[in-house]
Amino acid sequence: MSEIGTTTEPARPMTGVPCSPCSSVSFSPPNIANRRVTDWGAIRADTVHITRRERFEYGYQAPCHLLIAAERSERDAGETLIEGLPKSSLRDLSRKLSFVPAGHRFHGWQAPRVLTRVTYFYIDPRGPQLDPELRFSEIPMRPRLFFFDHDLWETAQKLRSLTENPIRTAAICPGLSVALLHELVRLEKTVPRARRRAAASRPGSKGGWWNSSRSISATTCPCRISPSWCG
């Protein structure tokens, strides 16, 4: 299997909507995917439709976290790897979540059984919409491949739906963005006590994020959407 690198530029954004500095998941061949990109500042959604049932490859590595929500994805063959985890050849990926921490490599290939629909959420851990009291950028996120968490899934799906309904975006986007980030923090709070102590003892760490009740600011979420499909 040949390997592909990541794009040096984000997926082509909607007209007049500036994207975050994170790169996007790249595909080979590149014209196999149609994409709808919506930028909310600290979070950017990239809804991808695979248009042909032929083998394709994908890859990503960037300074942003990547949450993957596969609404419809089945493959006759293929492998997926997130740096730090064993590779997986799971065939039915529908309703599966994956999480790629910032800086980790994500790549794979598949021969699709159905036309894949997946949404990528790029999360800038140092985004301007994040309450500094939460210290989101200090949280040592773990890689996760093909898992399911009901609350995180439902929140991701509600955010995805906003990319198709711009009328509702301004009123709903801030709260859902907050909820998505809090769900990710909740998952990390399940780590063993020993790991919590190790994180708290790092130089410069105040050790408070594990039990923090601080909120992520929702008042400044710049929800910007003007849907268009990108080839």
Side-chain angles (χ1 to χ4, degrees), residues 159-203:
L159 262 179
R160 181 196 59 78
S161 71
L162 295 185
T163 68
E164 302 172 350
N165 192 340
I167 296 176
R168 301 173 62 217
T169 297
I172 300 177
C173 164
L176 287 179
S177 297
V178 169
L180 185 73
L181 296 175
H182 273 294
E183 291 300 337
L184 290 172
V185 172
R186 174 183 58 80
L187 287 179
E188 288 306 317
K189 286 186 176 182
T190 64
V191 301
R193 289 183 179 180
R195 188 165 177 266
R196 297 187 190 186
R197 288 195 295 268
S201 65
R202 290 176 181 173

Side-chain angles (χ1 to χ4, degrees), residues 4-166:
I4 58 175
T6 59
T7 56
T8 57
E9 296 294 335
R12 182 157 51 92
M14 300 168 296
T15 304
V17 180
C19 278
S20 67
C22 298
S23 62
S24 300
V25 173
S26 60
F27 288 89
S28 179
N31 63 357
I32 201 169
N34 281 346
R35 316 178 82 150
R36 184 198 303 266
V37 181
T38 308
D39 196 326
W40 294 303
I43 298 178
R44 178 161 54 95
D46 180 8
T47 299
V48 174
H49 285 180
I50 298 301
T51 59
R52 303 188 301 277
R53 288 181 56 191
E54 64 181 63
R55 173 176 165 142
F56 64 90
E57 302 176 38
Y58 48 88
Y60 175 81
Q61 189 172 29
C64 288
H65 300 314
L66 171 62
L67 175 66
I68 305 167
E71 293 91 28
R72 182 179 65 239
S73 183
E74 297 179 27
R75 57 190 180 187
D76 290 322
E79 293 181 342
T80 304
L81 177 66
I82 297 178
E83 182 181 346
L85 296 176
K87 65 183 177 182
S88 173
S89 57
L90 185 69
R91 299 289 182 87
D92 187 354
L93 314 179
S94 297
R95 290 179 59 84
K96 293 292 192 298
L97 296 160
S98 296
F99 183 79
V100 184
H104 283 57
R105 188 169 179 239
F106 163 66
H107 67 98
W109 68 276
Q110 73 177 64
R113 182 180 303 161
V114 299
L115 296 179
T116 298
R117 178 187 172 109
V118 61
T119 301
Y120 300 113
F121 296 94
Y122 307 96
I123 304 167
D124 184 353
R126 295 175 175 80
Q129 285 70 49
L130 307 187
D131 185 344
E133 293 290 339
L134 186 71
R135 300 200 300 278
F136 188 73
S137 63
E138 299 177 18
I139 300 176
M141 296 290 195
R142 292 174 292 173
R144 300 170 185 266
L145 181 60
F146 301 146
F147 70 100
F148 184 81
D149 179 270
H150 179 269
D151 291 342
L152 180 58
W153 175 266
E154 290 298 316
T155 303
Q157 290 306 296
K158 289 174 183 177
L159 262 179
R160 181 196 59 78
S161 71
L162 295 185
T163 68
E164 302 172 350
N165 192 340

